[in-house]
Amino acid sequence: MRTLRTIAELKTALRQPRREGRRIGLVPTMGAFHDGHLSLMRRARRDCPVVVVSLFVNPTQFNDAGDLDGYPRDPERDAALAAELGVDYLFAPSVDEVYPQGFATTVSVGRVTETLEGEYRGRAHFDGVATVVTKLFNMVGPDVAYFGQKDAQQAVVIQRLVRDLDIPVAIEICPTVRETDGLAMSSRNVHLSPADRVRATALHRALGAARDAVDAGEHDPRAARAVALAELARAEIEPDYLELVSADTMAPLDRIDRDALAVLAARVGGTRLIDNEPIHPTSKANDNGSP
Ligand code: AMP
């Protein structure tokens, strides 16, 4: 594996494989790798003869300076793990390389960014994500890019972005990888105290409870939400949000009658965590809703 620091080095390295028409897969990350990241790399390795992993803690998507400063970083371990998985190129540019002096452009995706994470973290968060991902697509020119379902709204934003701007890249969304007790893997989990680490398992239980309610025939999102909130309350967790939304648009649902997502964000101790659970309603008994 080669570690590349500049856009010029990256373009040079990819010139030959691109000329030969070899499929280039990109996995954008902010590092501090866990099995979630590694699952995306494995998938890319399986699908593509050329795998590029980007490692860049993007300052413009952080709405909280403390969160950026405290973001876990372990570049040497990351490089070793990526090399072990057979990644071809680790692209790890500096902040100045990505945002040189005079940088003045923002890519801003509308609508799907207005709720949930966009509402709680502010407009700048998804603007930062959309801008850096657009830049990475232009730098790497991947045929396919891999993202995690863990960041469900981000996945919707990126799919919207490539459609709206006609960016010629296929987007693959990979399933959320979890700890054995259900907690979604996240670089931020290392900040949880032992007691909060246990409390944090309530997030996945809460989402599962909402899904179970729908599986049992509940079509009213308020009722499914109440079941999930009760599960969180047992762990004394009050979420920033907990909603049942359309899986395509992240818009709130009046009735769960199509593919949905139960999504939540919550602070556990000082650590803000997000998670989600896909919900596929089937028509069953106990359907109290109107048609
Ligand atoms: P991050 O480094 O947190 O920006 O994440 C890089 C990529 O890994 C994003 O596409 C995330 O959605 C994905 N990712 C993060 N955590 C997980 C997880 N537990 N399972 C699957 N993908 C994940």
PDB file of all heavy atoms in Angstrom, residues 27-37 39-40 61 71 146-152 154 174-178 184-188, ligand 1:
ATOM      1  N   VAL A  27     -13.167   4.637  -0.642  1.00  0.00           N
ATOM      2  CA  VAL A  27     -13.795   4.592   0.683  1.00  0.00           C
ATOM      3  C   VAL A  27     -13.376   5.855   1.435  1.00  0.00           C
ATOM      4  O   VAL A  27     -12.251   5.925   1.936  1.00  0.00           O
ATOM      5  CB  VAL A  27     -13.364   3.340   1.478  1.00  0.00           C
ATOM      6  CG1 VAL A  27     -14.048   3.316   2.841  1.00  0.00           C
ATOM      7  CG2 VAL A  27     -13.659   2.059   0.704  1.00  0.00           C
ATOM      8  N   PRO A  28     -14.270   6.856   1.517  1.00  0.00           N
ATOM      9  CA  PRO A  28     -13.906   8.063   2.271  1.00  0.00           C
ATOM     10  C   PRO A  28     -14.071   7.832   3.778  1.00  0.00           C
ATOM     11  O   PRO A  28     -15.096   7.288   4.227  1.00  0.00           O
ATOM     12  CB  PRO A  28     -14.934   9.113   1.804  1.00  0.00           C
ATOM     13  CG  PRO A  28     -15.593   8.523   0.589  1.00  0.00           C
ATOM     14  CD  PRO A  28     -15.535   7.035   0.789  1.00  0.00           C
ATOM     15  N   THR A  29     -13.060   8.226   4.557  1.00  0.00           N
ATOM     16  CA  THR A  29     -13.128   8.054   6.015  1.00  0.00           C
ATOM     17  C   THR A  29     -12.468   9.244   6.720  1.00  0.00           C
ATOM     18  O   THR A  29     -11.721   9.992   6.102  1.00  0.00           O
ATOM     19  CB  THR A  29     -12.381   6.792   6.505  1.00  0.00           C
ATOM     20  OG1 THR A  29     -10.975   7.093   6.585  1.00  0.00           O
ATOM     21  CG2 THR A  29     -12.588   5.597   5.603  1.00  0.00           C
ATOM     22  N   MET A  30     -12.749   9.297   8.030  1.00  0.00           N
ATOM     23  CA  MET A  30     -12.044  10.255   8.887  1.00  0.00           C
ATOM     24  C   MET A  30     -11.091   9.516   9.838  1.00  0.00           C
ATOM     25  O   MET A  30     -10.643  10.075  10.841  1.00  0.00           O
ATOM     26  CB  MET A  30     -13.043  11.108   9.667  1.00  0.00           C
ATOM     27  CG  MET A  30     -13.950  11.917   8.730  1.00  0.00           C
ATOM     28  SD  MET A  30     -14.614  13.406   9.473  1.00  0.00           S
ATOM     29  CE  MET A  30     -15.574  12.719  10.805  1.00  0.00           C
ATOM     30  N   GLY A  31     -10.806   8.261   9.533  1.00  0.00           N
ATOM     31  CA  GLY A  31      -9.797   7.529  10.301  1.00  0.00           C
ATOM     32  C   GLY A  31     -10.306   6.973  11.616  1.00  0.00           C
ATOM     33  O   GLY A  31     -11.513   6.870  11.842  1.00  0.00           O
ATOM     34  N   ALA A  32      -9.354   6.598  12.498  1.00  0.00           N
ATOM     35  CA  ALA A  32      -9.659   5.878  13.744  1.00  0.00           C
ATOM     36  C   ALA A  32     -10.485   4.631  13.392  1.00  0.00           C
ATOM     37  O   ALA A  32     -11.608   4.441  13.870  1.00  0.00           O
ATOM     38  CB  ALA A  32     -10.388   6.769  14.758  1.00  0.00           C
ATOM     39  N   PHE A  33      -9.894   3.806  12.554  1.00  0.00           N
ATOM     40  CA  PHE A  33     -10.633   2.697  11.946  1.00  0.00           C
ATOM     41  C   PHE A  33     -11.165   1.701  12.960  1.00  0.00           C
ATOM     42  O   PHE A  33     -10.509   1.358  13.940  1.00  0.00           O
ATOM     43  CB  PHE A  33      -9.733   1.947  10.951  1.00  0.00           C
ATOM     44  CG  PHE A  33      -9.348   2.756   9.747  1.00  0.00           C
ATOM     45  CD1 PHE A  33      -8.232   2.403   8.993  1.00  0.00           C
ATOM     46  CD2 PHE A  33     -10.093   3.859   9.348  1.00  0.00           C
ATOM     47  CE1 PHE A  33      -7.870   3.147   7.877  1.00  0.00           C
ATOM     48  CE2 PHE A  33      -9.740   4.609   8.226  1.00  0.00           C
ATOM     49  CZ  PHE A  33      -8.617   4.245   7.505  1.00  0.00           C
ATOM     50  N   HIS A  34     -12.395   1.232  12.687  1.00  0.00           N
ATOM     51  CA  HIS A  34     -13.009   0.120  13.408  1.00  0.00           C
ATOM     52  C   HIS A  34     -13.581  -0.816  12.352  1.00  0.00           C
ATOM     53  O   HIS A  34     -13.422  -0.556  11.138  1.00  0.00           O
ATOM     54  CB  HIS A  34     -14.085   0.632  14.383  1.00  0.00           C
ATOM     55  CG  HIS A  34     -15.060   1.582  13.761  1.00  0.00           C
ATOM     56  ND1 HIS A  34     -15.948   1.192  12.778  1.00  0.00           N
ATOM     57  CD2 HIS A  34     -15.274   2.909  13.951  1.00  0.00           C
ATOM     58  CE1 HIS A  34     -16.680   2.221  12.405  1.00  0.00           C
ATOM     59  NE2 HIS A  34     -16.291   3.287  13.095  1.00  0.00           N
ATOM     60  N   ASP A  35     -14.265  -1.854  12.793  1.00  0.00           N
ATOM     61  CA  ASP A  35     -14.737  -2.862  11.838  1.00  0.00           C
ATOM     62  C   ASP A  35     -15.736  -2.301  10.825  1.00  0.00           C
ATOM     63  O   ASP A  35     -15.898  -2.867   9.741  1.00  0.00           O
ATOM     64  CB  ASP A  35     -15.348  -4.056  12.576  1.00  0.00           C
ATOM     65  CG  ASP A  35     -14.264  -5.047  12.999  1.00  0.00           C
ATOM     66  OD1 ASP A  35     -13.114  -4.899  12.520  1.00  0.00           O
ATOM     67  OD2 ASP A  35     -14.556  -5.938  13.816  1.00  0.00           O
ATOM     68  N   GLY A  36     -16.433  -1.210  11.183  1.00  0.00           N
ATOM     69  CA  GLY A  36     -17.335  -0.568  10.212  1.00  0.00           C
ATOM     70  C   GLY A  36     -16.537  -0.080   9.017  1.00  0.00           C
ATOM     71  O   GLY A  36     -16.881  -0.374   7.853  1.00  0.00           O
ATOM     72  N   HIS A  37     -15.464   0.672   9.278  1.00  0.00           N
ATOM     73  CA  HIS A  37     -14.601   1.140   8.181  1.00  0.00           C
ATOM     74  C   HIS A  37     -14.038  -0.045   7.400  1.00  0.00           C
ATOM     75  O   HIS A  37     -14.008  -0.044   6.167  1.00  0.00           O
ATOM     76  CB  HIS A  37     -13.419   1.928   8.735  1.00  0.00           C
ATOM     77  CG  HIS A  37     -13.783   3.191   9.452  1.00  0.00           C
ATOM     78  ND1 HIS A  37     -13.591   3.355  10.805  1.00  0.00           N
ATOM     79  CD2 HIS A  37     -14.328   4.340   9.012  1.00  0.00           C
ATOM     80  CE1 HIS A  37     -13.990   4.562  11.154  1.00  0.00           C
ATOM     81  NE2 HIS A  37     -14.454   5.189  10.098  1.00  0.00           N
ATOM     82  N   SER A  39     -15.158  -2.984   7.003  1.00  0.00           N
ATOM     83  CA  SER A  39     -16.146  -3.691   6.163  1.00  0.00           C
ATOM     84  C   SER A  39     -16.298  -2.987   4.809  1.00  0.00           C
ATOM     85  O   SER A  39     -16.471  -3.642   3.779  1.00  0.00           O
ATOM     86  CB  SER A  39     -17.498  -3.799   6.879  1.00  0.00           C
ATOM     87  OG  SER A  39     -18.154  -2.545   6.909  1.00  0.00           O
ATOM     88  N   LEU A  40     -16.220  -1.644   4.814  1.00  0.00           N
ATOM     89  CA  LEU A  40     -16.322  -0.912   3.541  1.00  0.00           C
ATOM     90  C   LEU A  40     -15.093  -1.203   2.675  1.00  0.00           C
ATOM     91  O   LEU A  40     -15.200  -1.379   1.456  1.00  0.00           O
ATOM     92  CB  LEU A  40     -16.401   0.601   3.779  1.00  0.00           C
ATOM     93  CG  LEU A  40     -17.513   1.161   4.670  1.00  0.00           C
ATOM     94  CD1 LEU A  40     -17.509   2.688   4.626  1.00  0.00           C
ATOM     95  CD2 LEU A  40     -18.870   0.658   4.261  1.00  0.00           C
ATOM     96  N   GLN A  61     -16.901  20.046   8.542  1.00  0.00           N
ATOM     97  CA  GLN A  61     -18.166  19.388   8.886  1.00  0.00           C
ATOM     98  C   GLN A  61     -18.383  19.284  10.398  1.00  0.00           C
ATOM     99  O   GLN A  61     -19.394  18.751  10.837  1.00  0.00           O
ATOM    100  CB  GLN A  61     -18.263  18.013   8.224  1.00  0.00           C
ATOM    101  CG  GLN A  61     -17.386  16.941   8.837  1.00  0.00           C
ATOM    102  CD  GLN A  61     -17.415  15.676   7.996  1.00  0.00           C
ATOM    103  OE1 GLN A  61     -16.888  15.652   6.886  1.00  0.00           O
ATOM    104  NE2 GLN A  61     -18.031  14.619   8.495  1.00  0.00           N
ATOM    105  N   TYR A  71     -11.421  14.583  18.349  1.00  0.00           N
ATOM    106  CA  TYR A  71     -11.740  13.460  17.466  1.00  0.00           C
ATOM    107  C   TYR A  71     -10.582  12.457  17.488  1.00  0.00           C
ATOM    108  O   TYR A  71      -9.426  12.842  17.346  1.00  0.00           O
ATOM    109  CB  TYR A  71     -12.002  13.958  16.035  1.00  0.00           C
ATOM    110  CG  TYR A  71     -12.740  12.923  15.232  1.00  0.00           C
ATOM    111  CD1 TYR A  71     -14.115  12.761  15.367  1.00  0.00           C
ATOM    112  CD2 TYR A  71     -12.061  12.060  14.386  1.00  0.00           C
ATOM    113  CE1 TYR A  71     -14.792  11.778  14.675  1.00  0.00           C
ATOM    114  CE2 TYR A  71     -12.727  11.066  13.692  1.00  0.00           C
ATOM    115  CZ  TYR A  71     -14.099  10.939  13.840  1.00  0.00           C
ATOM    116  OH  TYR A  71     -14.768   9.954  13.166  1.00  0.00           O
ATOM    117  N   TYR A 146     -17.984   3.925  -1.498  1.00  0.00           N
ATOM    118  CA  TYR A 146     -18.655   3.125  -0.475  1.00  0.00           C
ATOM    119  C   TYR A 146     -18.891   3.971   0.776  1.00  0.00           C
ATOM    120  O   TYR A 146     -17.963   4.612   1.279  1.00  0.00           O
ATOM    121  CB  TYR A 146     -17.797   1.899  -0.130  1.00  0.00           C
ATOM    122  CG  TYR A 146     -17.606   1.000  -1.330  1.00  0.00           C
ATOM    123  CD1 TYR A 146     -16.568   1.238  -2.229  1.00  0.00           C
ATOM    124  CD2 TYR A 146     -18.490  -0.028  -1.595  1.00  0.00           C
ATOM    125  CE1 TYR A 146     -16.406   0.448  -3.351  1.00  0.00           C
ATOM    126  CE2 TYR A 146     -18.346  -0.823  -2.721  1.00  0.00           C
ATOM    127  CZ  TYR A 146     -17.295  -0.584  -3.599  1.00  0.00           C
ATOM    128  OH  TYR A 146     -17.150  -1.368  -4.723  1.00  0.00           O
ATOM    129  N   PHE A 147     -20.125   3.918   1.270  1.00  0.00           N
ATOM    130  CA  PHE A 147     -20.497   4.639   2.484  1.00  0.00           C
ATOM    131  C   PHE A 147     -21.278   3.696   3.385  1.00  0.00           C
ATOM    132  O   PHE A 147     -21.825   2.693   2.927  1.00  0.00           O
ATOM    133  CB  PHE A 147     -21.360   5.867   2.137  1.00  0.00           C
ATOM    134  CG  PHE A 147     -20.615   6.915   1.355  1.00  0.00           C
ATOM    135  CD1 PHE A 147     -20.545   6.846  -0.030  1.00  0.00           C
ATOM    136  CD2 PHE A 147     -19.953   7.951   1.998  1.00  0.00           C
ATOM    137  CE1 PHE A 147     -19.838   7.799  -0.754  1.00  0.00           C
ATOM    138  CE2 PHE A 147     -19.247   8.909   1.285  1.00  0.00           C
ATOM    139  CZ  PHE A 147     -19.191   8.832  -0.095  1.00  0.00           C
ATOM    140  N   GLY A 148     -21.360   4.056   4.686  1.00  0.00           N
ATOM    141  CA  GLY A 148     -22.042   3.193   5.641  1.00  0.00           C
ATOM    142  C   GLY A 148     -23.481   3.627   5.905  1.00  0.00           C
ATOM    143  O   GLY A 148     -23.772   4.825   5.979  1.00  0.00           O
ATOM    144  N   GLN A 149     -24.336   2.649   6.064  1.00  0.00           N
ATOM    145  CA  GLN A 149     -25.730   2.896   6.456  1.00  0.00           C
ATOM    146  C   GLN A 149     -25.802   3.540   7.842  1.00  0.00           C
ATOM    147  O   GLN A 149     -26.761   4.217   8.175  1.00  0.00           O
ATOM    148  CB  GLN A 149     -26.502   1.567   6.434  1.00  0.00           C
ATOM    149  CG  GLN A 149     -27.921   1.610   6.952  1.00  0.00           C
ATOM    150  CD  GLN A 149     -28.817   2.514   6.119  1.00  0.00           C
ATOM    151  OE1 GLN A 149     -28.587   2.712   4.937  1.00  0.00           O
ATOM    152  NE2 GLN A 149     -29.836   3.077   6.747  1.00  0.00           N
ATOM    153  N   LYS A 150     -24.756   3.329   8.646  1.00  0.00           N
ATOM    154  CA  LYS A 150     -24.692   3.930   9.990  1.00  0.00           C
ATOM    155  C   LYS A 150     -25.023   5.429   9.947  1.00  0.00           C
ATOM    156  O   LYS A 150     -25.716   5.950  10.807  1.00  0.00           O
ATOM    157  CB  LYS A 150     -23.296   3.688  10.562  1.00  0.00           C
ATOM    158  CG  LYS A 150     -22.818   4.619  11.635  1.00  0.00           C
ATOM    159  CD  LYS A 150     -23.390   4.249  12.958  1.00  0.00           C
ATOM    160  CE  LYS A 150     -22.830   5.007  14.142  1.00  0.00           C
ATOM    161  NZ  LYS A 150     -22.262   6.304  13.904  1.00  0.00           N
ATOM    162  N   ASP A 151     -24.481   6.115   8.912  1.00  0.00           N
ATOM    163  CA  ASP A 151     -24.755   7.548   8.742  1.00  0.00           C
ATOM    164  C   ASP A 151     -25.836   7.686   7.676  1.00  0.00           C
ATOM    165  O   ASP A 151     -25.573   8.096   6.535  1.00  0.00           O
ATOM    166  CB  ASP A 151     -23.458   8.268   8.358  1.00  0.00           C
ATOM    167  CG  ASP A 151     -22.425   8.172   9.467  1.00  0.00           C
ATOM    168  OD1 ASP A 151     -22.514   8.957  10.414  1.00  0.00           O
ATOM    169  OD2 ASP A 151     -21.563   7.274   9.409  1.00  0.00           O
ATOM    170  N   ALA A 152     -27.054   7.319   8.048  1.00  0.00           N
ATOM    171  CA  ALA A 152     -28.124   7.145   7.059  1.00  0.00           C
ATOM    172  C   ALA A 152     -28.438   8.437   6.312  1.00  0.00           C
ATOM    173  O   ALA A 152     -28.612   8.430   5.090  1.00  0.00           O
ATOM    174  CB  ALA A 152     -29.378   6.632   7.765  1.00  0.00           C
ATOM    175  N   GLN A 154     -26.505  11.020   5.893  1.00  0.00           N
ATOM    176  CA  GLN A 154     -25.349  11.326   5.037  1.00  0.00           C
ATOM    177  C   GLN A 154     -25.433  10.525   3.733  1.00  0.00           C
ATOM    178  O   GLN A 154     -25.145  11.047   2.648  1.00  0.00           O
ATOM    179  CB  GLN A 154     -24.059  10.991   5.779  1.00  0.00           C
ATOM    180  CG  GLN A 154     -22.818  11.087   4.935  1.00  0.00           C
ATOM    181  CD  GLN A 154     -21.554  10.860   5.762  1.00  0.00           C
ATOM    182  OE1 GLN A 154     -21.107  11.758   6.450  1.00  0.00           O
ATOM    183  NE2 GLN A 154     -20.999   9.672   5.689  1.00  0.00           N
ATOM    184  N   CYS A 174     -23.310   0.358   2.587  1.00  0.00           N
ATOM    185  CA  CYS A 174     -23.015  -0.937   3.230  1.00  0.00           C
ATOM    186  C   CYS A 174     -23.637  -0.989   4.627  1.00  0.00           C
ATOM    187  O   CYS A 174     -23.740   0.040   5.301  1.00  0.00           O
ATOM    188  CB  CYS A 174     -21.517  -1.120   3.329  1.00  0.00           C
ATOM    189  SG  CYS A 174     -20.692  -0.965   1.737  1.00  0.00           S
ATOM    190  N   PRO A 175     -24.038  -2.188   5.063  1.00  0.00           N
ATOM    191  CA  PRO A 175     -24.761  -2.318   6.337  1.00  0.00           C
ATOM    192  C   PRO A 175     -23.949  -1.852   7.547  1.00  0.00           C
ATOM    193  O   PRO A 175     -22.717  -1.896   7.531  1.00  0.00           O
ATOM    194  CB  PRO A 175     -25.031  -3.822   6.453  1.00  0.00           C
ATOM    195  CG  PRO A 175     -24.568  -4.452   5.207  1.00  0.00           C
ATOM    196  CD  PRO A 175     -23.835  -3.462   4.377  1.00  0.00           C
ATOM    197  N   THR A 176     -24.662  -1.450   8.575  1.00  0.00           N
ATOM    198  CA  THR A 176     -24.035  -1.007   9.827  1.00  0.00           C
ATOM    199  C   THR A 176     -23.391  -2.197  10.537  1.00  0.00           C
ATOM    200  O   THR A 176     -24.039  -3.232  10.731  1.00  0.00           O
ATOM    201  CB  THR A 176     -25.098  -0.376  10.749  1.00  0.00           C
ATOM    202  OG1 THR A 176     -25.693   0.719  10.046  1.00  0.00           O
ATOM    203  CG2 THR A 176     -24.496   0.118  12.055  1.00  0.00           C
ATOM    204  N   VAL A 177     -22.145  -2.030  10.924  1.00  0.00           N
ATOM    205  CA  VAL A 177     -21.450  -3.072  11.691  1.00  0.00           C
ATOM    206  C   VAL A 177     -21.575  -2.723  13.175  1.00  0.00           C
ATOM    207  O   VAL A 177     -21.397  -1.569  13.568  1.00  0.00           O
ATOM    208  CB  VAL A 177     -19.969  -3.162  11.271  1.00  0.00           C
ATOM    209  CG1 VAL A 177     -19.226  -4.186  12.110  1.00  0.00           C
ATOM    210  CG2 VAL A 177     -19.866  -3.505   9.787  1.00  0.00           C
ATOM    211  N   ARG A 178     -21.918  -3.740  13.984  1.00  0.00           N
ATOM    212  CA  ARG A 178     -22.213  -3.510  15.399  1.00  0.00           C
ATOM    213  C   ARG A 178     -21.301  -4.329  16.303  1.00  0.00           C
ATOM    214  O   ARG A 178     -20.801  -5.373  15.897  1.00  0.00           O
ATOM    215  CB  ARG A 178     -23.676  -3.902  15.693  1.00  0.00           C
ATOM    216  CG  ARG A 178     -24.655  -3.084  14.914  1.00  0.00           C
ATOM    217  CD  ARG A 178     -26.109  -3.438  15.180  1.00  0.00           C
ATOM    218  NE  ARG A 178     -26.943  -2.550  14.372  1.00  0.00           N
ATOM    219  CZ  ARG A 178     -27.226  -1.301  14.692  1.00  0.00           C
ATOM    220  NH1 ARG A 178     -26.809  -0.808  15.851  1.00  0.00           N
ATOM    221  NH2 ARG A 178     -27.937  -0.535  13.883  1.00  0.00           N
ATOM    222  N   ALA A 184     -23.747   0.316  17.645  1.00  0.00           N
ATOM    223  CA  ALA A 184     -23.152   0.570  16.329  1.00  0.00           C
ATOM    224  C   ALA A 184     -21.708   1.037  16.516  1.00  0.00           C
ATOM    225  O   ALA A 184     -21.436   1.896  17.361  1.00  0.00           O
ATOM    226  CB  ALA A 184     -23.950   1.639  15.592  1.00  0.00           C
ATOM    227  N   MET A 185     -20.809   0.457  15.738  1.00  0.00           N
ATOM    228  CA  MET A 185     -19.406   0.889  15.858  1.00  0.00           C
ATOM    229  C   MET A 185     -19.282   2.326  15.404  1.00  0.00           C
ATOM    230  O   MET A 185     -19.915   2.750  14.435  1.00  0.00           O
ATOM    231  CB  MET A 185     -18.516  -0.018  15.022  1.00  0.00           C
ATOM    232  CG  MET A 185     -18.423  -1.389  15.633  1.00  0.00           C
ATOM    233  SD  MET A 185     -17.071  -2.318  14.937  1.00  0.00           S
ATOM    234  CE  MET A 185     -17.339  -3.873  15.787  1.00  0.00           C
ATOM    235  N   SER A 186     -18.472   3.068  16.154  1.00  0.00           N
ATOM    236  CA  SER A 186     -18.240   4.475  15.836  1.00  0.00           C
ATOM    237  C   SER A 186     -16.889   4.859  16.419  1.00  0.00           C
ATOM    238  O   SER A 186     -16.515   4.394  17.506  1.00  0.00           O
ATOM    239  CB  SER A 186     -19.335   5.340  16.463  1.00  0.00           C
ATOM    240  OG  SER A 186     -18.914   6.692  16.529  1.00  0.00           O
ATOM    241  N   SER A 187     -16.189   5.716  15.709  1.00  0.00           N
ATOM    242  CA  SER A 187     -14.901   6.189  16.234  1.00  0.00           C
ATOM    243  C   SER A 187     -15.103   6.868  17.584  1.00  0.00           C
ATOM    244  O   SER A 187     -14.220   6.860  18.437  1.00  0.00           O
ATOM    245  CB  SER A 187     -14.258   7.176  15.256  1.00  0.00           C
ATOM    246  OG  SER A 187     -14.071   6.550  14.012  1.00  0.00           O
ATOM    247  N   ARG A 188     -16.276   7.467  17.791  1.00  0.00           N
ATOM    248  CA  ARG A 188     -16.536   8.206  19.036  1.00  0.00           C
ATOM    249  C   ARG A 188     -16.794   7.288  20.232  1.00  0.00           C
ATOM    250  O   ARG A 188     -16.771   7.765  21.372  1.00  0.00           O
ATOM    251  CB  ARG A 188     -17.733   9.139  18.857  1.00  0.00           C
ATOM    252  CG  ARG A 188     -17.449  10.319  17.942  1.00  0.00           C
ATOM    253  CD  ARG A 188     -18.584  11.323  17.955  1.00  0.00           C
ATOM    254  NE  ARG A 188     -18.242  12.522  17.211  1.00  0.00           N
ATOM    255  CZ  ARG A 188     -18.405  12.682  15.900  1.00  0.00           C
ATOM    256  NH1 ARG A 188     -18.929  11.701  15.181  1.00  0.00           N
ATOM    257  NH2 ARG A 188     -18.050  13.806  15.309  1.00  0.00           N
TER     258      ARG A 188
HETATM  259  P1  AMP B   1     -16.254   8.202   9.388  1.00  0.00           P
HETATM  260  O1  AMP B   1     -14.784   7.901   9.454  1.00  0.00           O
HETATM  261  O2  AMP B   1     -16.941   8.126  10.708  1.00  0.00           O
HETATM  262  O3  AMP B   1     -16.555   9.461   8.602  1.00  0.00           O
HETATM  263  O4  AMP B   1     -16.899   7.025   8.555  1.00  0.00           O
HETATM  264  C1  AMP B   1     -16.405   6.680   7.278  1.00  0.00           C
HETATM  265  C2  AMP B   1     -17.399   5.781   6.603  1.00  0.00           C
HETATM  266  O5  AMP B   1     -17.588   4.614   7.406  1.00  0.00           O
HETATM  267  C3  AMP B   1     -18.784   6.434   6.456  1.00  0.00           C
HETATM  268  O6  AMP B   1     -19.323   6.099   5.189  1.00  0.00           O
HETATM  269  C4  AMP B   1     -19.560   5.825   7.576  1.00  0.00           C
HETATM  270  O7  AMP B   1     -20.950   5.759   7.315  1.00  0.00           O
HETATM  271  C5  AMP B   1     -18.964   4.429   7.627  1.00  0.00           C
HETATM  272  N1  AMP B   1     -19.193   3.835   8.944  1.00  0.00           N
HETATM  273  C6  AMP B   1     -18.955   4.386  10.162  1.00  0.00           C
HETATM  274  N2  AMP B   1     -19.343   3.548  11.145  1.00  0.00           N
HETATM  275  C7  AMP B   1     -19.848   2.445  10.534  1.00  0.00           C
HETATM  276  C8  AMP B   1     -20.416   1.218  11.002  1.00  0.00           C
HETATM  277  N3  AMP B   1     -20.550   0.946  12.292  1.00  0.00           N
HETATM  278  N4  AMP B   1     -20.829   0.311  10.088  1.00  0.00           N
HETATM  279  C9  AMP B   1     -20.703   0.565   8.759  1.00  0.00           C
HETATM  280  N5  AMP B   1     -20.175   1.697   8.259  1.00  0.00           N
HETATM  281  C10 AMP B   1     -19.743   2.617   9.125  1.00  0.00           C
END
